[in-house]
């Protein structure tokens, strides 16, 4: 969904922010390489190292003391604010391996989120409170993401460039509970994506030829966090026990393509 592998129902970033040099949004007059595109296309150029060493550091932090209290939790009389955290951190470094010829660029980013979901009974009668009251409350929903990117750029000649790059994305997300679904019925959504690319670009006056070899490996694997408990759904009241389904969706792709562009015609 959305045309980007690994981004289906994820609260993480699809790619390292520090690795993006620039991006472009095209809404019409697409180049032939985009084939039968009918909607907007977002393309990005990744950063490369240069003849000087250069690095960046990224850090953001927000905990429950920096967030407004939940309005509906206040109406219910919940005085204790759940412990929440949203933090991103990362670093990048680029520079020369062989000056004017071979350069490198590497980056790492982490995304840590601790959120909370409220579980409440749908029909809070005295009998239901006695049976299921222990399942109510605020429960943590942690998310962890790690992003990595590495790139080598080689210029064998003034009109040629060879780029070899790889990216890694790993996620775990405890979610799918709250409301009338107990924390027992949560799932751990594991999302792993690895890509690798080798691109050779040749420039001959008004002609540019770009040959690319790409590999993609993806695994989307939501599993129950409580596999030993039988799921029980008390309709209109609460669902308890383990989750009823797991998924293990894998995809691998190898792509070889060649794009030739003429810059002008007379």
């Amino acid at each position: 969904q959305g045309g980007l592998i690994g981004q289906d129902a994820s609260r993480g970033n699809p790619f390292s922010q520090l690795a993006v040099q620039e991006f472009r949004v095209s809404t019409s007059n697409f180049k032939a390489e985009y084939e039968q595109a009918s909607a907007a296309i977002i393309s990005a150029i990744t950063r490369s190292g240069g003849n000087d060493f250069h690095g960046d550091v990224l850090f953001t932090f927000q905990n429950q003391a920096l967030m407004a209290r939940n309005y509906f939790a206040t109406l219910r009389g919940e005085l204790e604010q759940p412990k929440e955290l949203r933090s991103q951190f990362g670093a990048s470094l680029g520079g020369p391996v062989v000056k004017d010829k071979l350069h490198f660029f590497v980056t790492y980013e982490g995304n840590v989120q601790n959120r909370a979901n409220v579980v409440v009974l749908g029909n809070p009668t005295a009998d239901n409170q006695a049976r299921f009251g222990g399942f109510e409350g605020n429960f943590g929903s942690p998310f962890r993401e790690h992003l990595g990117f590495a790139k080598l750029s080689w210029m064998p000649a003034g009109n040629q460039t060879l780029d070899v790059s790889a990216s890694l994305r790993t996620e775990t997300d405890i979610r799918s509970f709250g409301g009338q679904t107990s924390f027992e019925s949560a799932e751990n959504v594991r999302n792993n994506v690895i890509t690798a690319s080798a691109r050779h670009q040749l420039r001959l006056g008004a002609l540019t030829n770009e040959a690319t070899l790409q590999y993609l490996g993806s695994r989307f694997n939501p599993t129950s966090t409580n596999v030993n408990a039988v799921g029980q759904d008390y309709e209109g009241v609460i669902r308890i026990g383990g989750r009823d389904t797991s998924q293990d969706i894998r995809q691998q792709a190898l792509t070889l393509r060649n794009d030739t562009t003429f810059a002008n015609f007379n």
Side-chain angles (χ1 to χ4, degrees):
Q1 296 181 8
L4 189 62
I5 192 72
Q7 197 57 19
D8 179 18
S10 169
R11 51 173 149 162
N13 295 321
F15 192 73
S16 172
Q17 299 175 78
L18 291 174
V20 177
Q21 175 70 31
E22 59 186 67
F23 69 92
R24 179 179 59 193
V25 180
S26 302
T27 58
S28 61
N29 298 326
F30 302 127
K31 293 172 63 178
E33 65 183 281
Y34 297 131
E35 300 176 3
Q36 300 178 12
S38 60
I41 292 174
I42 301 176
S43 58
I45 298 175
T46 55
R47 296 174 63 182
S48 302
N51 282 331
D52 298 318
F53 287 99
H54 181 79
D56 295 286
V57 175
L58 164 71
F59 180 73
T60 65
F61 176 83
Q62 182 186 42
N63 64 4
Q64 70 271 18
L66 303 173
M67 302 178 191
R69 187 178 298 275
N70 184 283
Y71 174 77
F72 297 101
T74 304
L75 289 181
R76 290 192 298 268
E78 298 175 9
L79 301 179
E80 183 179 354
Q81 191 170 3
K83 294 182 179 180
E84 298 190 5
L85 170 67
R86 299 176 187 176
S87 179
Q88 287 182 255
F89 48 89
S92 67
L93 179 65
V97 178
V98 179
K99 192 173 182 180
D100 296 326
K101 288 290 184 180
L102 183 63
H103 307 95
F104 77 94
F105 180 81
V106 294
T107 181
Y108 164 79
E109 287 182 30
N111 188 340
V112 175
Q113 299 182 31
N114 292 334
R115 302 191 187 184
N117 295 337
V118 179
V119 178
V120 294
L121 298 183
N123 184 17
T125 64
D127 182 55
N128 286 336
Q129 286 285 357
R131 296 180 62 190
F132 307 114
F135 294 99
E136 289 188 303
N138 274 302
F139 298 90
S141 178
F143 170 81
R144 302 291 184 268
E145 180 185 54
H146 303 279
L147 298 170
F149 176 77
K151 183 178 184 181
L152 279 174
S153 300
W154 179 41
M155 295 185 63
N159 66 338
Q160 295 185 54
T161 304
L162 176 64
D163 292 318
V164 179
S165 63
S167 66
L168 175 67
R169 173 186 183 182
T170 64
E171 294 178 359
T172 60
D173 191 359
I174 308 298
R175 67 184 194 199
S176 302
F177 66 93
Q180 280 77 59
T181 302
S182 71
F183 183 68
E184 278 191 343
S185 303
E187 64 177 345
N188 182 7
V189 179
R190 291 176 288 193
N191 186 25
N192 300 311
V193 180
I194 183 171
T195 64
S197 174
R199 185 191 66 167
H200 178 265
Q201 189 178 86
L202 174 64
R203 298 169 293 277
L204 297 172
L207 183 146
T208 300
N209 190 82
E210 187 173 276
T212 306
L213 176 64
Q214 294 177 316
Y215 168 79
L216 165 70
S218 170
R219 185 180 185 186
F220 184 70
N221 183 213
T223 58
S224 172
T225 60
N226 193 358
V227 297
N228 296 319
V230 176
Q232 303 174 67
D233 191 354
Y234 295 88
E235 188 172 348
V237 181
I238 194 170
R239 189 200 188 283
I240 62 175
R243 192 168 182 82
D244 52 356
T245 60
S246 294
Q247 299 181 66
D248 193 357
I249 302 173
R250 307 188 191 200
Q251 177 180 346
Q252 286 186 316
L254 188 65
T255 304
L256 176 62
R257 62 183 296 162
N258 190 84
D259 299 322
T260 302
T261 304
F262 294 93
N264 64 62
F265 289 91
N266 294 323

